[in-house]
Each structure stands twice: as C-alpha cells, then as structure tokens.
C-alpha cells in the first residue's frame, strides 16, 4: 500500500501530528475539518449554521487539493457539540453541499471545545 499526503494552505493547518488528508488505495481520507479560518486560525461564526458553512468550505478545499469535490464523498463522520440542539441547523447547511446519492454518514455527539461542529470524509478517487 502506498500513502500520499494531501495538503493545502486553503484549509487550516493540522494542530498536531496528523495530515489534512491521506490518499491510499483509491480513496482520500480527510482529517476532521472545523470552523477555523485557514489564514487567521480563528473560529468563524457562533451559530451551528455559520460554523457548518466554514467547516464545509474547509473540507471542500481539502478535497479540491486532490481534484475532488463533494460528489466524490462516499462517507462522512460528523461531530456535533450539541447534537440535540444543532442537528437540524447542521443538516440544513450540509445538504446544500452534498449531492445525491448522498454519502453514508455517522453523526455523533462530541466535546469539541470552542466549536460546534467537526466533519471528516472519505472520498473515492475516480
């Protein structure tokens, strides 16, 4: 198996020992993307909708660094700080980015510190 790191300055830099994405065996595996501005590293927005838009933009940039977009995503994992409160607001934004047939998705509640959402994805490489 060969692994290739994928990076872009258009999404936040990793805050630890991990890659923005790894290409392996015909798939792109992304790290979780949060609502941080890639230039300032400041959190963007205070609502789930605003933060989801930024997280999806960051995820889109990581996909785009490998020539992919949301139509290539086959699986997403979503972490919500307040799942009961924020699920509907998150979903309203998320569905504007993904295309049918929609990716498989798992949504879980997680402690996320100062942000409300984190999203990672697996995309197929054509």
């Amino acid at each position: 198996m060969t692994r290739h790191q994928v990076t872009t300055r258009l999404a936040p830099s990793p805050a630890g020992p991990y890659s923005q994405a790894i290409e392996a065996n015909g798939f792109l595996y992304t790290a979780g993307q949060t609502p941080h501005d890639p230039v300032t590293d400041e959190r963007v927005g205070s609502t789930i909708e605003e933060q989801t838009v930024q997280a999806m933009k960051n995820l889109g940039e990581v996909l785009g660094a490998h020539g992919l977009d949301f139509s290539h995503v086959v699986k997403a994992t979503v972490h919500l700080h307040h799942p009961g409160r924020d699920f509907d607001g998150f979903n309203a934004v998320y569905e504007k980015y993904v295309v049918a047939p929609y990716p498989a998705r798992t949504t879980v509640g997680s402690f996320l510190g100062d942000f409300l959402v984190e999203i990672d994805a697996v995309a197929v490489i054509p």
Side-chain angles (χ1 to χ4, degrees), residues 14-73:
Y18 61 90
S19 299
Q20 286 175 322
I22 293 288
E23 173 198 347
N25 295 329
F27 291 93
L28 185 71
Y29 299 86
T30 76
Q33 294 300 309
T34 58
H36 286 90
D37 181 283
V39 175
T40 67
D41 199 38
E42 297 290 322
R43 184 191 73 216
V44 174
S46 58
T47 67
I48 189 61
E49 294 84 1
E50 294 166 332
Q51 290 193 18
T52 300
V53 166
Q54 186 63 46
M56 293 297 282
K57 283 181 182 178
N58 292 341
L59 184 56
E61 293 294 353
V62 173
L63 293 167
H66 197 65
L68 304 175
D69 60 36
F70 287 104
S71 70
H72 297 100
V73 173

Side-chain angles (χ1 to χ4, degrees), residues 4 14 16 22 24 36 44-45 54 58 70 79 82 89-90 95 97 100 116-117:
H4 299 284
I22 293 288
H36 286 90
V44 174
Q54 186 63 46
N58 292 341
F70 287 104
H79 298 264
H82 301 286
F90 160 78
E95 70 182 351
Y97 287 85
L116 302 174
V117 61

